[in-house]
Amino acid sequence: MTFKRIETPCPAFSCRLSAIALLFLLMVLLAACGQTATVADEPRNATAEASPLNVVVTTQHLGDTVANLAQDRVELTVLFGPGIDPHTYIPTEGDLQILQNADLIFYNGLLLEAQMGRVFTQMEQRQATQVVAVAEALPAERLLLWEEEEGYDPHIWKDVQLWIAATEVIRTTLMERDPANAATYEANANAFVAELEQLHQDILTQIERIPPELRVLVTAHDAFSYYGRAYGLEVEAVQGISTEAEASAADIQAVAAILIERQIPAIFVETTVSPRTIEAVMAAANAGGQAVRIGGELFADDLGEPGTPEGTYIGMMRHNTDTIVAALAGE
Ligand SMILES: [Zn+2]
């Protein structure tokens, strides 16, 4: 698996300039491809046996899942690394080159990768590239609405049963796109889903250790609604579903009031979000007489470093659950 490291985000103005430049570059590249389309437009599985599929994914949890299903049968590139905020990430020139060379692209969708929509639309128009928005392939009745006009909450991987459904979308796509390796993908998917089912049960069991009145999860941005629904926690986010909006002083006071009233002992910072908002909530609750501490750091929209336990989807979910349970159960 190739892991692409990403530099820190640039200031908004220069980002806008570079986004325009990138779009221009993309149009030029697409135009160039149009002139030499004979190779790129071959039937999709014509090269399956000759060389491995070139698969590109956005998030680390997609990367880990494809790696579990495909192992060495595909060439895999993961665009986002630890600490990357997918809501605000603007694709680089290097990303466009990587996407251009992909046979198959998996992304989350539901506007998680909010700044990449136009790039995916352009890639979909290429005959040689298949583009799959995994979360958008799930049945709508299993998704959470955020606000009517804003569509669905994209953070589906926080509910392990929904991630099993997403894994099935990935499995089916790989099997159809690369029939020569279909049996491998299917067997690996069965083994991975069995592990995910165990993970789901383990999380349910662990959450039982938190006294029912303390099953309140306070974080900065609203990445945990699916987790809360699946595992029986009330979720209070200061900042809304995307990190693009800033929390207001009124938001901070409202969440602090909940902590004081319900006597919640701990709140959580997130790996992809500045801790400033959560520290302000903690200070406001402490000033109101409720001793609140930072219960630890949760992985919001990323995984840990590759090669560590938290660098896998399962390890990340176990880390988050262990951290929440230890802080709220007072263990
Ligand atoms: Zn998020």
Side-chain angles (χ1 to χ4, degrees):
M1 180 189 338
T2 313
F3 218 95
K4 187 183 158 296
R5 281 323 213 113
I6 285 150
E7 56 281 3
T8 44
C10 49
F13 178 67
S14 62
C15 271
R16 212 167 297 132
L17 280 181
S18 61
I20 291 163
L22 284 172
L23 273 176
F24 178 73
L25 175 78
L26 182 64
M27 286 189 297
V28 170
L29 284 170
L30 287 172
C33 286
Q35 285 159 12
T36 54
T38 43
V39 175
D41 288 347
E42 276 176 23
R44 281 178 177 174
N45 55 10
T47 55
E49 286 182 35
S51 60
L53 271 190
N54 184 343
V55 181
V56 179
V57 304
T58 52
T59 65
Q60 287 175 277
H61 40 275
L62 281 167
D64 180 58
T65 303
V66 171
N68 268 284
L69 269 53
Q71 291 169 4
D72 59 354
R73 301 301 167 100
V74 303
E75 200 66 57
L76 174 62
T77 306
V78 183
L79 290 183
F80 301 164
I84 289 298
D85 178 352
H87 301 282
T88 56
Y89 183 76
I90 292 171
T92 65
E93 221 169 290
D95 294 336
L96 295 180
Q97 294 285 359
I98 290 167
L99 290 165
Q100 283 280 329
N101 291 324
D103 299 309
L104 181 54
I105 298 167
F106 290 110
Y107 70 106
N108 188 87
L110 301 177
L111 296 181
L112 179 77
E113 303 94 339
Q115 311 298 322
M116 295 181 74
R118 203 184 297 200
V119 171
F120 293 132
T121 306
Q122 302 266 23
M123 293 297 160
E124 271 166 13
Q125 287 160 4
R126 287 164 49 89
Q127 289 291 310
T129 308
Q130 185 177 357
V131 184
V132 180
V134 172
E136 292 174 17
L138 303 183
E141 62 270 18
R142 296 186 70 181
L143 302 179
L144 284 171
L145 275 178
W146 181 45
E147 281 171 13
E148 298 288 339
E149 300 112 291
E150 306 267 353
Y152 295 103
D153 181 340
H155 302 88
I156 57 140
W157 64 96
K158 291 293 178 9
D159 172 347
V160 178
Q161 287 186 313
L162 273 183
W163 197 245
I164 289 173
T167 299
E168 286 163 356
V169 170
I170 294 169
R171 176 205 60 197
T172 305
T173 307
L174 287 170
M175 288 173 70
E176 285 172 3
R177 187 64 204 263
D178 182 15
N181 288 309
T184 303
Y185 299 137
E186 187 167 34
N188 290 343
N190 289 342
F192 188 55
V193 166
E195 282 186 73
L196 295 182
E197 278 164 354
Q198 183 63 52
L199 172 68
H200 179 72
Q201 290 305 322
D202 291 348
I203 296 174
L204 286 171
T205 306
Q206 262 190 291
I207 296 294
E208 292 288 311
R209 284 159 48 194
I210 305 172
E213 68 277 12
L214 298 183
R215 289 180 197 163
V216 180
L217 178 60
V218 175
T219 59
H221 101 291
D222 204 353
F224 291 89
S225 293
Y226 288 104
Y227 187 89
R229 180 180 71 172
Y231 304 112
L233 289 153
E234 183 184 326
V235 174
E236 298 289 345
V238 191
Q239 199 175 358
I241 219 153
S242 168
T243 54
E244 289 173 289
E246 283 275 320
S248 71
D251 295 333
I252 288 166
Q253 285 303 329
V255 175
I258 294 168
L259 294 169
I260 295 163
E261 194 200 318
R262 312 275 293 274
Q263 301 185 336
I264 305 302
I267 59 181
F268 301 90
V269 293
E270 292 157 83
T271 47
T272 52
V273 184
S274 154
R276 214 162 31 126
T277 301
I278 268 315
E279 284 163 2
V281 171
M282 183 174 73
N286 288 344
Q290 170 64 22
V292 172
R293 66 187 186 86
I294 304 283
E297 188 176 51
L298 304 180
F299 292 98
D301 293 343
D302 61 348
L303 306 183
E305 292 289 339
T308 67
E310 295 80 18
T312 67
Y313 170 75
I314 290 175
M316 176 277 293
M317 291 297 289
R318 290 197 188 282
H319 165 92
N320 281 357
T321 303
D322 290 347
T323 303
I324 292 164
V325 171
L328 293 179
E331 291 165 351

